[in-house]
Amino acid sequence: YSFGLIAYVCAVGQPPFDGQDLFEVGYKQVHSPTPTLVSNRDQAPSWYEEMVCRCTKKTADHRYQSFAEILAVIK
């Protein structure tokens, strides 16, 4: 999950969730879907968007289960 958030920041230049305090940011992180890269930056390739989207799924079973799976998408 954290790798997906870092990849999001690398592409967009800012975190996906903002708020007035840490509680608000944490609440959004748990209850709001991660914004898509397409809505924020059109230069991101589609595979990158899909990788970030899957990395930041709220349910761990829906995320990549190993970094090797992520590398397979990047190659």
Side-chain angles (χ1 to χ4, degrees):
Y1 183 80
S2 59
F3 177 78
L5 295 179
I6 292 168
Y8 182 94
V9 171
C10 288
V12 177
Q14 62 187 27
F17 305 103
D18 61 352
Q20 294 184 11
D21 55 34
L22 292 177
F23 178 80
E24 185 177 355
V25 173
Y27 184 86
K28 287 180 181 179
Q29 192 168 15
V30 171
H31 298 288
S32 301
T34 304
T36 62
L37 298 179
V38 174
S39 65
N40 292 302
R41 177 176 274 184
D42 293 329
Q43 296 90 348
S46 61
W47 65 265
Y48 195 87
E49 168 83 21
E50 292 170 18
M51 186 260 313
V52 170
C53 181
R54 187 165 172 194
C55 282
T56 57
K57 295 283 186 189
K58 301 303 178 188
T59 306
D61 291 343
H62 296 145
R63 294 188 289 243
Y64 296 105
Q65 298 304 303
S66 70
F67 199 71
E69 289 183 36
I70 295 172
L71 289 176
V73 172
I74 293 172
K75 291 182 180 180

